[in-house]
Structures are given as structure tokens and as C-alpha cells.
PDB file of all heavy atoms in Angstrom:
ATOM      1  N   ILE A   1     -37.913  -9.283  56.737  1.00 89.00           N
ATOM      2  CA  ILE A   1     -36.874  -9.341  57.772  1.00 89.00           C
ATOM      3  C   ILE A   1     -37.473  -8.650  58.987  1.00 89.00           C
ATOM      4  O   ILE A   1     -37.770  -7.448  58.945  1.00 89.00           O
ATOM      5  CB  ILE A   1     -35.590  -8.648  57.327  1.00 89.00           C
ATOM      6  CG1 ILE A   1     -35.035  -9.298  56.060  1.00 89.00           C
ATOM      7  CG2 ILE A   1     -34.554  -8.695  58.449  1.00 89.00           C
ATOM      8  CD1 ILE A   1     -33.848  -8.592  55.467  1.00 89.00           C
ATOM      9  N   SER A   2     -37.664  -9.377  60.061  1.00 90.00           N
ATOM     10  CA  SER A   2     -38.266  -8.819  61.275  1.00 90.00           C
ATOM     11  C   SER A   2     -37.444  -7.653  61.801  1.00 90.00           C
ATOM     12  O   SER A   2     -36.212  -7.702  61.808  1.00 90.00           O
ATOM     13  CB  SER A   2     -38.380  -9.899  62.367  1.00 90.00           C
ATOM     14  OG  SER A   2     -38.819  -9.317  63.559  1.00 90.00           O
ATOM     15  N   SER A   3     -38.119  -6.645  62.298  1.00 90.00           N
ATOM     16  CA  SER A   3     -37.423  -5.523  62.932  1.00 90.00           C
ATOM     17  C   SER A   3     -36.855  -5.923  64.295  1.00 90.00           C
ATOM     18  O   SER A   3     -36.115  -5.168  64.896  1.00 90.00           O
ATOM     19  CB  SER A   3     -38.386  -4.343  63.079  1.00 90.00           C
ATOM     20  OG  SER A   3     -39.484  -4.688  63.882  1.00 90.00           O
ATOM     21  N   TYR A   4     -37.197  -7.122  64.769  1.00 91.00           N
ATOM     22  CA  TYR A   4     -36.694  -7.630  66.031  1.00 91.00           C
ATOM     23  C   TYR A   4     -35.569  -8.660  65.858  1.00 91.00           C
ATOM     24  O   TYR A   4     -35.216  -9.354  66.805  1.00 91.00           O
ATOM     25  CB  TYR A   4     -37.822  -8.252  66.854  1.00 91.00           C
ATOM     26  CG  TYR A   4     -38.852  -7.219  67.262  1.00 91.00           C
ATOM     27  CD1 TYR A   4     -40.055  -7.130  66.596  1.00 91.00           C
ATOM     28  CD2 TYR A   4     -38.582  -6.333  68.303  1.00 91.00           C
ATOM     29  CE1 TYR A   4     -41.000  -6.168  66.947  1.00 91.00           C
ATOM     30  CE2 TYR A   4     -39.502  -5.368  68.660  1.00 91.00           C
ATOM     31  CZ  TYR A   4     -40.723  -5.304  67.977  1.00 91.00           C
ATOM     32  OH  TYR A   4     -41.633  -4.357  68.331  1.00 91.00           O
ATOM     33  N   CYS A   5     -35.015  -8.771  64.654  1.00 88.00           N
ATOM     34  CA  CYS A   5     -33.838  -9.646  64.496  1.00 88.00           C
ATOM     35  C   CYS A   5     -32.593  -8.734  64.480  1.00 88.00           C
ATOM     36  O   CYS A   5     -32.704  -7.529  64.288  1.00 88.00           O
ATOM     37  CB  CYS A   5     -33.938 -10.519  63.262  1.00 88.00           C
ATOM     38  SG  CYS A   5     -33.682  -9.680  61.713  1.00 88.00           S
ATOM     39  N   THR A   6     -31.432  -9.334  64.679  1.00 88.00           N
ATOM     40  CA  THR A   6     -30.192  -8.584  64.717  1.00 88.00           C
ATOM     41  C   THR A   6     -29.368  -8.899  63.470  1.00 88.00           C
ATOM     42  O   THR A   6     -29.121 -10.060  63.176  1.00 88.00           O
ATOM     43  CB  THR A   6     -29.382  -8.968  65.958  1.00 88.00           C
ATOM     44  OG1 THR A   6     -30.184  -8.743  67.117  1.00 88.00           O
ATOM     45  CG2 THR A   6     -28.114  -8.160  66.086  1.00 88.00           C
ATOM     46  N   TYR A   7     -28.979  -7.859  62.744  1.00 86.00           N
ATOM     47  CA  TYR A   7     -28.126  -8.052  61.575  1.00 86.00           C
ATOM     48  C   TYR A   7     -27.366  -6.756  61.312  1.00 86.00           C
ATOM     49  O   TYR A   7     -27.704  -5.700  61.813  1.00 86.00           O
ATOM     50  CB  TYR A   7     -28.959  -8.439  60.343  1.00 86.00           C
ATOM     51  CG  TYR A   7     -29.985  -7.413  59.922  1.00 86.00           C
ATOM     52  CD1 TYR A   7     -29.687  -6.420  59.017  1.00 86.00           C
ATOM     53  CD2 TYR A   7     -31.267  -7.450  60.466  1.00 86.00           C
ATOM     54  CE1 TYR A   7     -30.641  -5.489  58.648  1.00 86.00           C
ATOM     55  CE2 TYR A   7     -32.208  -6.529  60.116  1.00 86.00           C
ATOM     56  CZ  TYR A   7     -31.897  -5.527  59.197  1.00 86.00           C
ATOM     57  OH  TYR A   7     -32.836  -4.611  58.846  1.00 86.00           O
ATOM     58  N   PHE A   8     -26.277  -6.854  60.568  1.00 83.00           N
ATOM     59  CA  PHE A   8     -25.453  -5.719  60.237  1.00 83.00           C
ATOM     60  C   PHE A   8     -25.945  -5.073  58.934  1.00 83.00           C
ATOM     61  O   PHE A   8     -26.609  -5.729  58.138  1.00 83.00           O
ATOM     62  CB  PHE A   8     -23.985  -6.144  60.080  1.00 83.00           C
ATOM     63  CG  PHE A   8     -23.398  -6.611  61.389  1.00 83.00           C
ATOM     64  CD1 PHE A   8     -23.501  -7.940  61.777  1.00 83.00           C
ATOM     65  CD2 PHE A   8     -22.748  -5.720  62.225  1.00 83.00           C
ATOM     66  CE1 PHE A   8     -22.954  -8.375  62.980  1.00 83.00           C
ATOM     67  CE2 PHE A   8     -22.195  -6.146  63.413  1.00 83.00           C
ATOM     68  CZ  PHE A   8     -22.315  -7.465  63.794  1.00 83.00           C
ATOM     69  N   SER A   9     -25.595  -3.845  58.697  1.00 82.00           N
ATOM     70  CA  SER A   9     -26.062  -3.129  57.505  1.00 82.00           C
ATOM     71  C   SER A   9     -25.531  -3.754  56.218  1.00 82.00           C
ATOM     72  O   SER A   9     -26.084  -3.517  55.149  1.00 82.00           O
ATOM     73  CB  SER A   9     -25.656  -1.651  57.564  1.00 82.00           C
ATOM     74  OG  SER A   9     -24.251  -1.517  57.631  1.00 82.00           O
ATOM     75  N   GLN A  10     -24.495  -4.582  56.295  1.00 82.00           N
ATOM     76  CA  GLN A  10     -23.938  -5.240  55.120  1.00 82.00           C
ATOM     77  C   GLN A  10     -24.719  -6.473  54.705  1.00 82.00           C
ATOM     78  O   GLN A  10     -24.370  -7.149  53.735  1.00 82.00           O
ATOM     79  CB  GLN A  10     -22.474  -5.651  55.357  1.00 82.00           C
ATOM     80  CG  GLN A  10     -21.513  -4.520  55.565  1.00 82.00           C
ATOM     81  CD  GLN A  10     -21.407  -4.103  57.020  1.00 82.00           C
ATOM     82  OE1 GLN A  10     -22.244  -4.444  57.857  1.00 82.00           O
ATOM     83  NE2 GLN A  10     -20.401  -3.322  57.343  1.00 82.00           N
ATOM     84  N   LEU A  11     -25.808  -6.816  55.407  1.00 84.00           N
ATOM     85  CA  LEU A  11     -26.581  -8.004  55.080  1.00 84.00           C
ATOM     86  C   LEU A  11     -27.122  -7.921  53.656  1.00 84.00           C
ATOM     87  O   LEU A  11     -27.676  -6.912  53.237  1.00 84.00           O
ATOM     88  CB  LEU A  11     -27.775  -8.152  56.039  1.00 84.00           C
ATOM     89  CG  LEU A  11     -28.716  -9.321  55.756  1.00 84.00           C
ATOM     90  CD1 LEU A  11     -28.000 -10.642  55.889  1.00 84.00           C
ATOM     91  CD2 LEU A  11     -29.920  -9.254  56.657  1.00 84.00           C
ATOM     92  N   THR A  12     -26.897  -8.971  52.915  1.00 85.00           N
ATOM     93  CA  THR A  12     -27.391  -9.092  51.560  1.00 85.00           C
ATOM     94  C   THR A  12     -28.404 -10.221  51.482  1.00 85.00           C
ATOM     95  O   THR A  12     -28.105 -11.335  51.884  1.00 85.00           O
ATOM     96  CB  THR A  12     -26.231  -9.384  50.568  1.00 85.00           C
ATOM     97  OG1 THR A  12     -25.272  -8.350  50.670  1.00 85.00           O
ATOM     98  CG2 THR A  12     -26.732  -9.489  49.149  1.00 85.00           C
ATOM     99  N   THR A  13     -29.614  -9.910  51.013  1.00 87.00           N
ATOM    100  CA  THR A  13     -30.625 -10.953  50.853  1.00 87.00           C
ATOM    101  C   THR A  13     -31.142 -10.960  49.436  1.00 87.00           C
ATOM    102  O   THR A  13     -31.167  -9.947  48.762  1.00 87.00           O
ATOM    103  CB  THR A  13     -31.836 -10.772  51.814  1.00 87.00           C
ATOM    104  OG1 THR A  13     -32.449  -9.520  51.510  1.00 87.00           O
ATOM    105  CG2 THR A  13     -31.414 -10.810  53.242  1.00 87.00           C
ATOM    106  N   GLY A  14     -31.555 -12.139  48.998  1.00 88.00           N
ATOM    107  CA  GLY A  14     -32.188 -12.248  47.680  1.00 88.00           C
ATOM    108  C   GLY A  14     -33.677 -12.016  47.804  1.00 88.00           C
ATOM    109  O   GLY A  14     -34.152 -11.437  48.779  1.00 88.00           O
ATOM    110  N   ASP A  15     -34.402 -12.475  46.821  1.00 91.00           N
ATOM    111  CA  ASP A  15     -35.871 -12.330  46.794  1.00 91.00           C
ATOM    112  C   ASP A  15     -36.517 -13.455  47.586  1.00 91.00           C
ATOM    113  O   ASP A  15     -35.979 -14.555  47.711  1.00 91.00           O
ATOM    114  CB  ASP A  15     -36.389 -12.409  45.352  1.00 91.00           C
ATOM    115  CG  ASP A  15     -35.899 -11.242  44.521  1.00 91.00           C
ATOM    116  OD1 ASP A  15     -35.565 -10.202  45.094  1.00 91.00           O
ATOM    117  OD2 ASP A  15     -35.879 -11.402  43.288  1.00 91.00           O
ATOM    118  N   ASN A  16     -37.695 -13.189  48.131  1.00 90.00           N
ATOM    119  CA  ASN A  16     -38.536 -14.192  48.770  1.00 90.00           C
ATOM    120  C   ASN A  16     -37.849 -14.848  49.959  1.00 90.00           C
ATOM    121  O   ASN A  16     -37.852 -16.072  50.094  1.00 90.00           O
ATOM    122  CB  ASN A  16     -38.976 -15.244  47.745  1.00 90.00           C
ATOM    123  CG  ASN A  16     -40.102 -16.071  48.258  1.00 90.00           C
ATOM    124  OD1 ASN A  16     -40.967 -15.614  49.006  1.00 90.00           O
ATOM    125  ND2 ASN A  16     -40.145 -17.324  47.860  1.00 90.00           N
ATOM    126  N   CYS A  17     -37.270 -14.041  50.860  1.00 89.00           N
ATOM    127  CA  CYS A  17     -36.617 -14.561  52.056  1.00 89.00           C
ATOM    128  C   CYS A  17     -37.456 -14.188  53.273  1.00 89.00           C
ATOM    129  O   CYS A  17     -38.142 -13.170  53.277  1.00 89.00           O
ATOM    130  CB  CYS A  17     -35.234 -13.965  52.218  1.00 89.00           C
ATOM    131  SG  CYS A  17     -34.083 -14.463  50.920  1.00 89.00           S
ATOM    132  N   TYR A  18     -37.374 -15.022  54.313  1.00 89.00           N
ATOM    133  CA  TYR A  18     -38.108 -14.797  55.538  1.00 89.00           C
ATOM    134  C   TYR A  18     -37.180 -14.967  56.717  1.00 89.00           C
ATOM    135  O   TYR A  18     -36.607 -16.036  56.914  1.00 89.00           O
ATOM    136  CB  TYR A  18     -39.279 -15.767  55.650  1.00 89.00           C
ATOM    137  CG  TYR A  18     -40.029 -15.690  56.951  1.00 89.00           C
ATOM    138  CD1 TYR A  18     -40.924 -14.664  57.189  1.00 89.00           C
ATOM    139  CD2 TYR A  18     -39.837 -16.635  57.940  1.00 89.00           C
ATOM    140  CE1 TYR A  18     -41.607 -14.573  58.397  1.00 89.00           C
ATOM    141  CE2 TYR A  18     -40.502 -16.567  59.152  1.00 89.00           C
ATOM    142  CZ  TYR A  18     -41.376 -15.533  59.379  1.00 89.00           C
ATOM    143  OH  TYR A  18     -42.057 -15.447  60.565  1.00 89.00           O
ATOM    144  N   ILE A  19     -37.000 -13.903  57.498  1.00 88.00           N
ATOM    145  CA  ILE A  19     -36.176 -13.942  58.694  1.00 88.00           C
ATOM    146  C   ILE A  19     -37.030 -13.440  59.843  1.00 88.00           C
ATOM    147  O   ILE A  19     -37.330 -12.254  59.942  1.00 88.00           O
ATOM    148  CB  ILE A  19     -34.911 -13.070  58.528  1.00 88.00           C
ATOM    149  CG1 ILE A  19     -34.118 -13.503  57.286  1.00 88.00           C
ATOM    150  CG2 ILE A  19     -34.034 -13.159  59.773  1.00 88.00           C
ATOM    151  CD1 ILE A  19     -32.979 -12.589  56.933  1.00 88.00           C
ATOM    152  N   PRO A  20     -37.438 -14.333  60.748  1.00 87.00           N
ATOM    153  CA  PRO A  20     -38.366 -13.966  61.837  1.00 87.00           C
ATOM    154  C   PRO A  20     -37.705 -13.294  63.018  1.00 87.00           C
ATOM    155  O   PRO A  20     -36.511 -13.013  63.009  1.00 87.00           O
ATOM    156  CB  PRO A  20     -38.975 -15.298  62.221  1.00 87.00           C
ATOM    157  CG  PRO A  20     -37.880 -16.273  61.969  1.00 87.00           C
ATOM    158  CD  PRO A  20     -37.152 -15.764  60.759  1.00 87.00           C
ATOM    159  N   VAL A  21     -38.475 -13.091  64.076  1.00 86.00           N
ATOM    160  CA  VAL A  21     -38.042 -12.455  65.308  1.00 86.00           C
ATOM    161  C   VAL A  21     -36.906 -13.210  65.964  1.00 86.00           C
ATOM    162  O   VAL A  21     -36.807 -14.452  65.897  1.00 86.00           O
ATOM    163  CB  VAL A  21     -39.228 -12.383  66.281  1.00 86.00           C
ATOM    164  CG1 VAL A  21     -38.826 -11.865  67.640  1.00 86.00           C
ATOM    165  CG2 VAL A  21     -40.332 -11.537  65.695  1.00 86.00           C
ATOM    166  N   ASP A  22     -35.997 -12.492  66.628  1.00 84.00           N
ATOM    167  CA  ASP A  22     -34.926 -13.029  67.462  1.00 84.00           C
ATOM    168  C   ASP A  22     -33.866 -13.838  66.727  1.00 84.00           C
ATOM    169  O   ASP A  22     -33.255 -14.729  67.312  1.00 84.00           O
ATOM    170  CB  ASP A  22     -35.482 -13.906  68.605  1.00 84.00           C
ATOM    171  CG  ASP A  22     -36.273 -13.076  69.611  1.00 84.00           C
ATOM    172  OD1 ASP A  22     -35.976 -11.881  69.739  1.00 84.00           O
ATOM    173  OD2 ASP A  22     -37.175 -13.637  70.236  1.00 84.00           O
ATOM    174  N   LYS A  23     -33.638 -13.582  65.472  1.00 85.00           N
ATOM    175  CA  LYS A  23     -32.563 -14.236  64.736  1.00 85.00           C
ATOM    176  C   LYS A  23     -31.352 -13.302  64.731  1.00 85.00           C
ATOM    177  O   LYS A  23     -31.500 -12.080  64.724  1.00 85.00           O
ATOM    178  CB  LYS A  23     -32.939 -14.535  63.283  1.00 85.00           C
ATOM    179  CG  LYS A  23     -34.071 -15.490  63.142  1.00 85.00           C
ATOM    180  CD  LYS A  23     -33.736 -16.834  63.734  1.00 85.00           C
ATOM    181  CE  LYS A  23     -34.861 -17.334  64.545  1.00 85.00           C
ATOM    182  NZ  LYS A  23     -34.656 -17.697  65.874  1.00 85.00           N
ATOM    183  N   THR A  24     -30.167 -13.862  64.724  1.00 84.00           N
ATOM    184  CA  THR A  24     -28.943 -13.069  64.615  1.00 84.00           C
ATOM    185  C   THR A  24     -28.227 -13.522  63.352  1.00 84.00           C
ATOM    186  O   THR A  24     -27.877 -14.682  63.200  1.00 84.00           O
ATOM    187  CB  THR A  24     -28.003 -13.296  65.844  1.00 84.00           C
ATOM    188  OG1 THR A  24     -28.710 -12.880  67.010  1.00 84.00           O
ATOM    189  CG2 THR A  24     -26.725 -12.530  65.676  1.00 84.00           C
ATOM    190  N   ILE A  25     -28.052 -12.580  62.434  1.00 84.00           N
ATOM    191  CA  ILE A  25     -27.365 -12.846  61.175  1.00 84.00           C
ATOM    192  C   ILE A  25     -25.998 -12.214  61.252  1.00 84.00           C
ATOM    193  O   ILE A  25     -25.883 -10.992  61.510  1.00 84.00           O
ATOM    194  CB  ILE A  25     -28.166 -12.286  59.960  1.00 84.00           C
ATOM    195  CG1 ILE A  25     -29.637 -12.696  60.031  1.00 84.00           C
ATOM    196  CG2 ILE A  25     -27.514 -12.667  58.665  1.00 84.00           C
ATOM    197  CD1 ILE A  25     -29.900 -14.168  59.950  1.00 84.00           C
ATOM    198  N   GLN A  26     -24.969 -12.991  61.036  1.00 81.00           N
ATOM    199  CA  GLN A  26     -23.594 -12.549  61.229  1.00 81.00           C
ATOM    200  C   GLN A  26     -23.147 -11.543  60.137  1.00 81.00           C
ATOM    201  O   GLN A  26     -23.717 -11.458  59.072  1.00 81.00           O
ATOM    202  CB  GLN A  26     -22.653 -13.737  61.262  1.00 81.00           C
ATOM    203  CG  GLN A  26     -22.938 -14.688  62.408  1.00 81.00           C
ATOM    204  CD  GLN A  26     -22.743 -14.040  63.743  1.00 81.00           C
ATOM    205  OE1 GLN A  26     -21.780 -13.310  63.945  1.00 81.00           O
ATOM    206  NE2 GLN A  26     -23.671 -14.281  64.655  1.00 81.00           N
ATOM    207  N   LEU A  27     -22.073 -10.832  60.447  1.00 81.00           N
ATOM    208  CA  LEU A  27     -21.489  -9.838  59.563  1.00 81.00           C
ATOM    209  C   LEU A  27     -21.148 -10.439  58.208  1.00 81.00           C
ATOM    210  O   LEU A  27     -20.608 -11.561  58.147  1.00 81.00           O
ATOM    211  CB  LEU A  27     -20.235  -9.267  60.208  1.00 81.00           C
ATOM    212  CG  LEU A  27     -19.502  -8.148  59.478  1.00 81.00           C
ATOM    213  CD1 LEU A  27     -20.387  -6.932  59.324  1.00 81.00           C
ATOM    214  CD2 LEU A  27     -18.229  -7.781  60.221  1.00 81.00           C
ATOM    215  N   TYR A  28     -21.439  -9.774  57.143  1.00 80.00           N
ATOM    216  CA  TYR A  28     -21.178 -10.169  55.743  1.00 80.00           C
ATOM    217  C   TYR A  28     -21.935 -11.417  55.307  1.00 80.00           C
ATOM    218  O   TYR A  28     -21.538 -12.086  54.376  1.00 80.00           O
ATOM    219  CB  TYR A  28     -19.672 -10.361  55.496  1.00 80.00           C
ATOM    220  CG  TYR A  28     -18.870  -9.127  55.831  1.00 80.00           C
ATOM    221  CD1 TYR A  28     -17.933  -9.119  56.828  1.00 80.00           C
ATOM    222  CD2 TYR A  28     -19.103  -7.936  55.143  1.00 80.00           C
ATOM    223  CE1 TYR A  28     -17.215  -7.995  57.144  1.00 80.00           C
ATOM    224  CE2 TYR A  28     -18.384  -6.780  55.439  1.00 80.00           C
ATOM    225  CZ  TYR A  28     -17.443  -6.816  56.439  1.00 80.00           C
ATOM    226  OH  TYR A  28     -16.744  -5.685  56.754  1.00 80.00           O
ATOM    227  N   ALA A  29     -23.004 -11.742  55.988  1.00 80.00           N
ATOM    228  CA  ALA A  29     -23.811 -12.906  55.581  1.00 80.00           C
ATOM    229  C   ALA A  29     -24.457 -12.591  54.232  1.00 80.00           C
ATOM    230  O   ALA A  29     -24.819 -11.454  53.927  1.00 80.00           O
ATOM    231  CB  ALA A  29     -24.892 -13.188  56.608  1.00 80.00           C
ATOM    232  N   ILE A  30     -24.614 -13.624  53.392  1.00 82.00           N
ATOM    233  CA  ILE A  30     -25.327 -13.521  52.123  1.00 82.00           C
ATOM    234  C   ILE A  30     -26.423 -14.561  52.158  1.00 82.00           C
ATOM    235  O   ILE A  30     -26.133 -15.759  52.258  1.00 82.00           O
ATOM    236  CB  ILE A  30     -24.371 -13.770  50.943  1.00 82.00           C
ATOM    237  CG1 ILE A  30     -23.254 -12.731  50.919  1.00 82.00           C
ATOM    238  CG2 ILE A  30     -25.157 -13.777  49.640  1.00 82.00           C
ATOM    239  CD1 ILE A  30     -22.166 -13.033  49.919  1.00 82.00           C
ATOM    240  N   ILE A  31     -27.647 -14.105  52.053  1.00 85.00           N
ATOM    241  CA  ILE A  31     -28.783 -15.021  52.040  1.00 85.00           C
ATOM    242  C   ILE A  31     -29.407 -14.921  50.665  1.00 85.00           C
ATOM    243  O   ILE A  31     -29.942 -13.857  50.298  1.00 85.00           O
ATOM    244  CB  ILE A  31     -29.774 -14.683  53.151  1.00 85.00           C
ATOM    245  CG1 ILE A  31     -29.074 -14.794  54.508  1.00 85.00           C
ATOM    246  CG2 ILE A  31     -30.998 -15.601  53.085  1.00 85.00           C
ATOM    247  CD1 ILE A  31     -29.904 -14.333  55.673  1.00 85.00           C
ATOM    248  N   LYS A  32     -29.323 -15.973  49.891  1.00 84.00           N
ATOM    249  CA  LYS A  32     -29.790 -15.953  48.506  1.00 84.00           C
ATOM    250  C   LYS A  32     -31.302 -16.078  48.415  1.00 84.00           C
ATOM    251  O   LYS A  32     -32.000 -16.019  49.425  1.00 84.00           O
ATOM    252  CB  LYS A  32     -29.114 -17.094  47.723  1.00 84.00           C
ATOM    253  CG  LYS A  32     -27.609 -16.986  47.658  1.00 84.00           C
ATOM    254  CD  LYS A  32     -27.172 -16.121  46.538  1.00 84.00           C
ATOM    255  CE  LYS A  32     -25.657 -16.096  46.450  1.00 84.00           C
ATOM    256  NZ  LYS A  32     -25.181 -15.818  45.141  1.00 84.00           N
ATOM    257  N   ASN A  33     -31.815 -16.274  47.209  1.00 88.00           N
ATOM    258  CA  ASN A  33     -33.263 -16.330  46.967  1.00 88.00           C
ATOM    259  C   ASN A  33     -33.951 -17.493  47.653  1.00 88.00           C
ATOM    260  O   ASN A  33     -33.350 -18.566  47.828  1.00 88.00           O
ATOM    261  CB  ASN A  33     -33.537 -16.437  45.459  1.00 88.00           C
ATOM    262  CG  ASN A  33     -33.075 -15.217  44.702  1.00 88.00           C
ATOM    263  OD1 ASN A  33     -33.057 -14.120  45.223  1.00 88.00           O
ATOM    264  ND2 ASN A  33     -32.723 -15.408  43.460  1.00 88.00           N
ATOM    265  N   ASN A  34     -35.224 -17.271  48.032  1.00 87.00           N
ATOM    266  CA  ASN A  34     -36.110 -18.331  48.541  1.00 87.00           C
ATOM    267  C   ASN A  34     -35.623 -19.005  49.811  1.00 87.00           C
ATOM    268  O   ASN A  34     -35.725 -20.212  49.964  1.00 87.00           O
ATOM    269  CB  ASN A  34     -36.343 -19.383  47.451  1.00 87.00           C
ATOM    270  CG  ASN A  34     -36.875 -18.776  46.184  1.00 87.00           C
ATOM    271  OD1 ASN A  34     -37.780 -17.949  46.240  1.00 87.00           O
ATOM    272  ND2 ASN A  34     -36.290 -19.122  45.055  1.00 87.00           N
ATOM    273  N   GLN A  35     -35.114 -18.219  50.758  1.00 84.00           N
ATOM    274  CA  GLN A  35     -34.648 -18.749  52.025  1.00 84.00           C
ATOM    275  C   GLN A  35     -35.665 -18.493  53.124  1.00 84.00           C
ATOM    276  O   GLN A  35     -36.150 -17.392  53.269  1.00 84.00           O
ATOM    277  CB  GLN A  35     -33.297 -18.153  52.432  1.00 84.00           C
ATOM    278  CG  GLN A  35     -32.223 -18.335  51.380  1.00 84.00           C
ATOM    279  CD  GLN A  35     -31.990 -19.788  51.058  1.00 84.00           C
ATOM    280  OE1 GLN A  35     -31.835 -20.606  51.939  1.00 84.00           O
ATOM    281  NE2 GLN A  35     -31.937 -20.106  49.807  1.00 84.00           N
ATOM    282  N   PHE A  36     -35.969 -19.502  53.914  1.00 83.00           N
ATOM    283  CA  PHE A  36     -36.872 -19.408  55.040  1.00 83.00           C
ATOM    284  C   PHE A  36     -36.127 -19.853  56.273  1.00 83.00           C
ATOM    285  O   PHE A  36     -35.700 -21.011  56.353  1.00 83.00           O
ATOM    286  CB  PHE A  36     -38.102 -20.281  54.814  1.00 83.00           C
ATOM    287  CG  PHE A  36     -39.080 -20.284  55.956  1.00 83.00           C
ATOM    288  CD1 PHE A  36     -40.059 -19.310  56.027  1.00 83.00           C
ATOM    289  CD2 PHE A  36     -38.974 -21.227  56.962  1.00 83.00           C
ATOM    290  CE1 PHE A  36     -40.945 -19.289  57.076  1.00 83.00           C
ATOM    291  CE2 PHE A  36     -39.875 -21.226  58.007  1.00 83.00           C
ATOM    292  CZ  PHE A  36     -40.853 -20.247  58.072  1.00 83.00           C
ATOM    293  N   ILE A  37     -35.910 -18.951  57.206  1.00 81.00           N
ATOM    294  CA  ILE A  37     -35.171 -19.290  58.417  1.00 81.00           C
ATOM    295  C   ILE A  37     -36.197 -19.589  59.508  1.00 81.00           C
ATOM    296  O   ILE A  37     -37.021 -18.766  59.833  1.00 81.00           O
ATOM    297  CB  ILE A  37     -34.245 -18.137  58.829  1.00 81.00           C
ATOM    298  CG1 ILE A  37     -33.222 -17.917  57.703  1.00 81.00           C
ATOM    299  CG2 ILE A  37     -33.555 -18.445  60.156  1.00 81.00           C
ATOM    300  CD1 ILE A  37     -32.302 -16.748  57.928  1.00 81.00           C
ATOM    301  N   THR A  38     -36.125 -20.816  60.036  1.00 75.00           N
ATOM    302  CA  THR A  38     -37.124 -21.234  61.024  1.00 75.00           C
ATOM    303  C   THR A  38     -36.942 -20.494  62.350  1.00 75.00           C
ATOM    304  O   THR A  38     -35.953 -19.788  62.546  1.00 75.00           O
ATOM    305  CB  THR A  38     -37.008 -22.754  61.295  1.00 75.00           C
ATOM    306  OG1 THR A  38     -35.764 -23.042  61.905  1.00 75.00           O
ATOM    307  CG2 THR A  38     -37.170 -23.536  60.016  1.00 75.00           C
ATOM    308  N   SER A  39     -37.848 -20.707  63.244  1.00 65.00           N
ATOM    309  CA  SER A  39     -37.813 -20.014  64.531  1.00 65.00           C
ATOM    310  C   SER A  39     -36.882 -20.652  65.529  1.00 65.00           C
ATOM    311  O   SER A  39     -36.754 -20.184  66.655  1.00 65.00           O
ATOM    312  CB  SER A  39     -39.213 -19.887  65.106  1.00 65.00           C
ATOM    313  OG  SER A  39     -39.788 -21.149  65.199  1.00 65.00           O
ATOM    314  N   SER A  40     -36.201 -21.727  65.157  1.00 65.00           N
ATOM    315  CA  SER A  40     -35.190 -22.320  66.024  1.00 65.00           C
ATOM    316  C   SER A  40     -33.908 -21.472  65.893  1.00 65.00           C
ATOM    317  O   SER A  40     -33.651 -20.894  64.840  1.00 65.00           O
ATOM    318  CB  SER A  40     -34.925 -23.748  65.593  1.00 65.00           C
ATOM    319  OG  SER A  40     -33.881 -24.286  66.353  1.00 65.00           O
TER     320      SER A  40
END
């Protein structure tokens, strides 16, 4: 999870996830295993 993305402390992620620069993840988001968020 990039230190340059925006997310709340409640963010829950599974294993093997990739969240690059400049992404905004909303409050109470749950990102399960094997997720790759593109740069769009």
C-alpha cells in the first residue's frame, strides 16, 4: 500500500494486494485477497 495513497485507519486488506500512488480508498473499504488496483 503506497504511502502516497489516501485511506482511513479502518482499511482492511487481504493478502497479496497492491495499491499504488494517488489512490483514494473510502471509509470502511474491504479489499480481499489478490487485488491489484491499476493506476487509473
Side-chain angles (χ1 to χ4, degrees):
I1 301 174
S2 172
S3 60
Y4 295 102
C5 74
T6 304
Y7 60 92
F8 294 88
S9 61
Q10 295 89 344
L11 176 64
T12 301
T13 61
D15 295 337
N16 195 33
C17 294
Y18 174 77
I19 304 172
V21 174
D22 293 333
K23 298 297 136 236
T24 299
I25 310 298
Q26 298 298 317
L27 183 62
Y28 303 116
I30 299 171
I31 300 174
K32 299 274 183 154
N33 295 331
N34 305 314
Q35 303 302 311
F36 177 87
I37 298 176
T38 65
S39 55
S40 176

